[in-house]
Amino acid sequence: MTEIDVRQRILAANEAAAAEVRSRYRDEGTLVINLISSPGSGKTTLLEKTVARLGGRLRLAAIEGDIATERDADRLRATGIPARQILTGGACHLDARQVQGALAEAAFPAHDILLIENVGNLICPTSYDLGEDLKVALLSVAEGDDKPFKYPAIFSRAQVTVITKADLLPHVTFDVAAVRQQVSVLNPQGRLLVTSARSGEGMGEWCGLLEDLLAAKRAARA
Amino acid sequence: MTEIDVRQRILAANEAAAAEVRSRYRDEGTLVINLISSPGSGKTTLLEKTVARLGGRLRLAAIEGDIATERDADRLRATGIPARQILTGGACHLDARQVQGALAEAAFPAHDILLIENVGNLICPTSYDLGEDLKVALLSVAEGDDKPFKYPAIFSRAQVTVITKADLLPHVTFDVAAVRQQVSVLNPQGRLLVTSARSGEGMGEWCGLLEDLLAAKRAARA
């Protein structure tokens, strides 16, 4: 077996598991999102603020992917939602079999939205379907406005790009229009939101988008 | 051949190439550093400022690793040093064979320090020896102070951790002492520097460290 054979076998096994996750959540009418970004772009903080806004009227659950520490699942549980940590032990992305295992072990109560936070890595998670309805890419303004063209795969595939930490814009060099232009080239159908968990900017639009997508998924099923 | 066999074969080939790079640069008395961080932690900017301080008295050359775009090599060439871009086309890290190929194609004039900027990824580059004298991990204060324990491999192996964008400390939640404590647990011999390319903080210490390491390498050879 060559290196390419091994990689194809791994991806095929992942696709099969992802199809099972997708089928389950189609039946249940649950929206599944897969958050992907660099380390420290604010994935966990975005989820904390999402729970604060939506937790009162929607049932949320979270799967947290990290190489080490239970820290992120602890943060989500502190918001009052059920959360399960997947520790990859060194692996650079989540795969759909890990998600299936976490769902089986966690036995979450029925939920409207499943929030999957991938391992902090702007590259490797892109190739692994987790059975999600949409990939969401995060990009903090501190990371610089050249990132979509430098990491084109994720920004091509993410249906939504969320610019985070907009409260830092006065203190960094970051041209939102340049990011918007790159994303529009890579992904003409993609949505771009500008947010700050700290100031609350854009959080209503983000949460409203999730509610719309959930409603659309349920309408398509009906 | 199993997945593990394939991985071992890849790493063995990499080790052989890394040994050749290391041997060449031992003979030449050139210091080789491998910079590893998340996307947008400020690797290229740190190198630009390093050239500005050291370029007058040391001969520097750079290899830039990216998935796409020649942007970073262009930035380094604009500082006046020779730089070669390696485009991985999707791969999540540099390997030593790519470095050998870039060195052969670039045919840099004799240089005192070779600066290798890895692909923006806090995980995968850690496992691939490039023949460097030291790995340097960068962590921007915008990424949060929990990262060493969440990404322990790189912070265990990097001889130097450089905290970047310290000028943003008034605007973010980041406890330098917490990072220092985590790094000291993971890597008791590791050095930690606090820097800001914008304000210049710590840049003298960083460049002085490179000069000391270069002198030590040459003294050991003599």
Side-chain angles (χ1 to χ4, degrees), chain B residues 192-213:
Chain B
L192 185 85
L193 305 182
V194 179
T195 71
S196 163
R198 182 167 285 199
S199 75
E201 176 183 351
M203 291 305 301
E205 189 180 358
W206 159 248
C207 291
L209 177 61
L210 293 181
E211 291 187 287
D212 290 346
L213 290 167

Side-chain angles (χ1 to χ4, degrees), chain A residues 167-168 171 198, chain B residues 141 165-174 201:
Chain A
D167 54 286
L168 292 178
H171 311 294
R198 183 169 282 199
Chain B
V141 303
K165 309 191 190 188
D167 55 287
L168 292 178
L169 280 171
H171 311 294
V172 299
T173 303
F174 187 93
E201 176 183 351

Side-chain angles (χ1 to χ4, degrees), chain A residues 71-72 142 146 150 165 198, chain B residues 71-72 142 146 150 165:
Chain A
R71 180 181 161 86
D72 287 354
D146 57 350
K150 289 180 75 176
K165 310 192 189 189
R198 183 169 282 199
Chain B
R71 181 180 160 86
D72 287 354
D146 58 348
K150 291 179 74 175
K165 309 191 190 188

Side-chain angles (χ1 to χ4, degrees), chain A residues 14-202:
Chain A
N14 187 72
E15 289 304 311
E20 291 179 14
V21 172
R22 186 166 281 114
S23 174
R24 166 188 166 170
Y25 281 118
R26 187 185 305 114
D27 295 345
E28 295 185 11
T30 292
L31 183 71
V32 181
I33 70 168
N34 178 4
L35 282 94
I36 297 175
S37 81
S38 306
S41 298
K43 294 181 293 300
T44 316
T45 302
L46 182 71
L47 294 185
E48 288 173 330
K49 301 293 183 179
T50 303
V51 174
R53 285 189 175 245
L54 292 180
R57 57 182 185 277
L58 292 175
R59 299 164 299 174
L60 307 176
I63 290 176
E64 296 291 315
D66 277 292
I67 286 177
T69 85
E70 186 92 5
R71 180 181 161 86
D72 287 354
D74 285 342
R75 288 175 60 185
L76 269 293
R77 282 190 284 263
T79 69
I81 69 167
R84 183 83 184 179
Q85 184 79 47
I86 296 175
L87 293 180
T88 70
C92 52
H93 61 86
L94 292 181
D95 65 46
R97 287 179 292 183
Q98 290 172 320
V99 170
Q100 284 188 303
L103 289 169
E105 290 168 8
F108 291 139
H111 42 290
D112 302 302
I113 304 181
L114 177 65
L115 306 158
I116 304 175
E117 179 180 339
N118 222 305
V119 177
N121 183 332
L122 202 51
I123 305 169
C124 312
T126 309
S127 304
Y128 288 80
D129 182 5
L130 304 181
E132 71 272 356
D133 293 294
L134 71 160
K135 288 179 168 62
V136 175
L138 274 68
L139 175 64
S140 123
V141 301
E143 293 173 59
D145 53 28
D146 57 350
K147 294 302 171 290
F149 279 173
K150 289 180 75 176
Y151 301 85
I154 180 58
F155 293 98
S156 299
R157 295 186 199 173
Q159 289 91 336
V160 180
T161 294
V162 178
I163 293 177
T164 60
K165 310 192 189 189
D167 54 286
L168 292 178
L169 280 171
H171 311 294
V172 298
T173 303
F174 187 94
D175 181 349
V176 172
V179 171
R180 191 179 298 281
Q181 193 271 336
Q182 292 168 67
V183 170
S184 73
V185 169
L186 294 168
N187 187 353
Q189 311 303 321
R191 296 284 300 270
L192 185 85
L193 305 182
V194 179
T195 71
S196 164
R198 183 169 282 199
S199 74
E201 177 183 349

